[in-house]
Amino acid sequence: MQSGQKRSFTAQVACSAAVLAVLAGCGGGGGDDGGSSDAPASVQQYPAGVYTGQAGPLSAQRDFIGYIDGGSNGTGGLYYFAKDSGGQGYDGLYGTLSVTGTALRAPNSSYFSTVDSKFATSPVLVTGTVTGAAADVKTNARIVGSYANPVGTSAATGAALVPFTLNYSAALTEHPSSLTLLKGTYRSGGAFGSNAAVVTIDALGNVTGSNVGCTFTGTARTPNAQRGIYNVSLTLGGTAASCPRTGSTESGIAVIAYDAAGAKQALWVFTTAPATSTRNTFVINAVPDPEPLTPPPATTPQVATGLFTGTVASGATSDGFNGVVLPDNQYFFYRSKGSSYDVLYGSLSVAPASSVFSSNNGIYYASAAGTYTGGVVFTGDVRTRGALTGSFADPTAGNAVAQITTAYSTLFDARAADVATLAGKTYRQNGNFSGRSMEIAIDATGAITGSNSDNCTVGGTLAPYTTPSTANLYTVTLIYGGTTCTGINRPREGGVAIAEANGGLRILTAGYSEVNQARYTTVFISGPGTATPVTTPVTTPVTTPVTTAPVTTPAATTAP
């Protein structure tokens, strides 16, 4: 929030007094954010509520969502707008606004760009016109406005102003709220290297989770059971390297979206740090874990963790899926498509007291087209030490149902992970990943060095996966570089490795580029490792010059 504000987002929302429709806060709406002196003399508008719409020019519009606190008299207070950054989360635009008549004004707002993690270098002016909000019933309420170009961020545009349109959402604002409704686990982002957020809320409103390198704990409250807005306070944790603002507290609101059948569809969280703290903000758009499905009869709880080998149906034109499910239920399955691999990855939710699983955040990479499709639903059944079967809507086949049929591989627990067994060797893949070859070497510390046929250098690290410690499973980070590397902005990729029975190595990783907003995956399957050649530097003999000491002739001595 801006330096002139003395209370946090939640502090103002928490002391609401049901003025008009939504959580009229106990502050805001005055001071620096007064209405324009030349505002039109028109019927006073009361903007409080949740809004959805679009922002940006017609040729490049993005989803836009916003919350406005009515303030002490309902004409405006703290607000938070969020704009889709194009696949890497949501940018935040927030501050204090006021509405005089129909004129909306917020002169000292902050803009945070999630792609490059930067705030605009100067305060952002937001102006607009509010209509349809002159009474408590806001069904037709609408805001048409613009905000100043967020200079100094990757969200900056060539235009001086960015237009937006927001429409009041009765479905989000006027839905009843309770901790029972809020309870659950919500996830955003994909698995394997992307910045996924996880939010878990229990029946008492205790909040735990993680987002962009930070863990957090906190609370959620329902200040008005007739409105769908929850107060949220989060205290950040983690190492200074992963979470620079560890130990700080931020606060804001949460809103649940429901589908037409009344099932929870998404959780929105908007938070900011108080004025006395270093600026920080979160926008989380997460989907709930699936509700427990009806378990099949006569089954016992199963875990999905393991390595799985696919089978090929009779008459199939491609190999079956192979893959891995990690102890935290992240999964990565792949199948050969000619000289390349199609990939499906995400996170599973395994139903209690059954072996049924589901995933609604799958990401499918179609190698032939080089495209990624998000939001793939993957459902099925798993039998530990047995098989994993499932189905998903295949984006490469017009979303026709595709089957995955696998058997559990004993290679997963054939040996404990040990870097020493892989170290000192070079592993080569010849043209198996999208027709490209790659060679890497691993040293005794687990450091990875190498190159591929895209003129990229390959670096990274490899270490035993800590849980379970007896599994043949390693965590891997791959870093691609080089000035002539294809996909020069390729991000750091995260994933796993498995030592093959023949002495080879299998690496499965994924990542998301914040620079060019693109996803990348690596499927590396090598033959047996060979001893890494030891290069002995050529040493030039050092010739020590011979120094001849001068001959001193003693002076003649004359006897007295």
Side-chain angles (χ1 to χ4, degrees):
M1 293 298 173
Q2 307 304 318
S3 58
Q5 294 173 231
K6 303 301 183 185
R7 285 170 287 180
S8 70
F9 197 115
T10 293
Q12 296 217 22
V13 176
C15 49
S16 60
V19 176
L20 301 176
V22 181
L23 299 180
C26 297
D32 292 341
D33 290 318
S36 172
S37 60
D38 58 353
S42 54
V43 177
Q44 179 63 47
Q45 303 292 303
Y46 300 94
V50 182
Y51 292 76
T52 61
Q54 299 285 312
L58 289 176
S59 60
Q61 286 194 327
R62 296 280 174 79
D63 287 342
F64 205 47
I65 185 170
Y67 165 76
I68 300 174
D69 177 4
S72 59
N73 59 7
T75 60
L78 295 169
Y79 81 94
Y80 204 118
F81 296 158
K83 178 188 175 188
D84 180 11
S85 70
Q88 180 58 14
Y90 281 75
D91 293 355
L93 174 63
Y94 61 91
T96 304
L97 62 78
S98 64
V99 176
T100 302
T102 62
L104 178 150
R105 182 175 173 81
N108 294 302
S109 300
S110 295
Y111 191 102
F112 178 75
S113 167
T114 190
V115 170
D116 53 354
S117 298
K118 292 181 180 178
F119 282 91
T121 54
S122 58
V124 173
L125 171 65
V126 182
T127 59
T129 300
V130 183
T131 58
D136 193 18
V137 178
K138 298 186 179 68
T139 305
N140 299 315
R142 182 178 176 86
I143 303 172
V144 177
S146 62
Y147 59 84
N149 186 26
V151 177
T153 74
S154 65
T157 66
L161 299 175
V162 179
F164 68 83
T165 302
L166 288 168
N167 296 297
Y168 176 78
S169 174
L172 292 174
T173 307
E174 299 173 15
H175 196 286
S177 62
S178 71
L179 293 180
T180 299
L181 288 172
L182 188 61
K183 176 186 174 183
T185 295
Y186 306 81
R187 305 175 194 271
S188 69
F192 282 83
S194 59
N195 290 327
V198 179
V199 182
T200 298
I201 305 169
D202 69 17
L204 299 177
N206 298 307
V207 182
T208 58
S210 61
N211 188 35
V212 291
C214 298
T215 60
F216 54 76
T217 58
T219 59
R221 295 292 180 262
T222 56
N224 185 340
Q226 302 307 309
R227 295 293 179 258
I229 293 93
Y230 299 81
N231 293 340
V232 176
S233 178
L234 305 176
T235 298
L236 307 187
T239 65
S242 65
C243 184
R245 294 170 298 279
T246 184
S248 66
T249 297
E250 55 186 60
S251 52
I253 64 108
V255 178
I256 299 175
Y258 300 86
D259 63 18
K264 289 189 292 188
Q265 189 176 41
L267 173 73
W268 286 94
V269 179
F270 309 121
T271 60
T272 67
T276 55
S277 302
T278 302
R279 286 196 298 182
N280 183 45
T281 184
F282 280 166
V283 178
I284 299 174
N285 177 20
V287 296
D289 279 356
E291 296 294 328
L293 303 177
T294 302
T299 60
T300 57
Q302 304 287 326
V303 294
T305 302
L307 181 67
F308 296 91
T309 302
T311 59
V312 183
S314 176
T317 58
S318 65
D319 292 344
F321 279 90
N322 298 279
V324 64
V325 180
L326 304 186
D328 62 359
N329 283 338
Q330 295 184 79
Y331 67 89
F332 189 111
F333 285 90
Y334 63 93
R335 61 177 171 183
S336 175
K337 282 292 187 76
S339 62
S340 57
Y341 294 98
D342 280 11
V343 169
L344 175 65
Y345 64 101
S347 56
L348 299 178
S349 176
V350 180
S354 82
S355 58
V356 174
F357 70 78
S358 62
S359 168
N360 55 7
N361 66 350
I363 297 171
Y364 190 93
Y365 171 62
S367 57
T371 58
Y372 288 82
T373 301
V376 176
V377 176
F378 176 36
T379 59
D381 191 276
V382 62
R383 293 286 186 271
T384 302
R385 302 300 189 270
L388 181 149
T389 60
S391 62
F392 66 96
D394 188 347
T396 67
N399 289 326
V401 175
Q403 301 290 333
I404 292 180
T405 304
T406 67
Y408 180 84
S409 172
T410 56
L411 182 62
F412 183 79
D413 48 11
R415 71 192 81 170
D418 182 5
V419 173
T421 64
L422 306 179
K425 296 178 182 178
T426 297
Y427 301 85
R428 296 180 180 87
Q429 174 177 256
N430 296 317
N432 285 331
F433 175 56
S434 297
R436 297 185 290 272
S437 60
M438 180 166 151
E439 177 178 297
I440 62 171
I442 301 173
D443 70 12
T445 68
I448 296 172
T449 56
S451 61
N452 67 14
S453 57
D454 280 339
N455 297 318
C456 301
T457 60
V458 182
T461 58
L462 177 147
Y465 198 101
T466 55
T467 304
S469 59
T470 57
N472 174 20
L473 189 64
Y474 302 79
T475 58
V476 173
T477 298
L478 293 182
I479 304 171
Y480 293 89
T483 56
T484 60
C485 174
T486 300
I488 192 169
N489 293 320
R490 188 164 182 162
R492 179 188 302 262
E493 296 182 18
V496 296
I498 301 100
E500 301 285 3
N502 66 352
L505 187 64
R506 188 184 324 186
I507 295 176
L508 311 171
T509 62
Y512 182 91
S513 170
E514 296 183 351
V515 177
N516 58 11
Q517 300 181 9
R519 298 186 186 278
Y520 295 86
T521 53
T522 295
V523 177
F524 174 87
I525 302 175
S526 79
T530 58
T532 302
V534 177
T535 303
T536 304
V538 177
T539 304
T540 303
V542 178
T543 303
T544 304
V546 178
T547 303
T548 303
V551 178
T552 304
T553 303
T557 302
T558 305

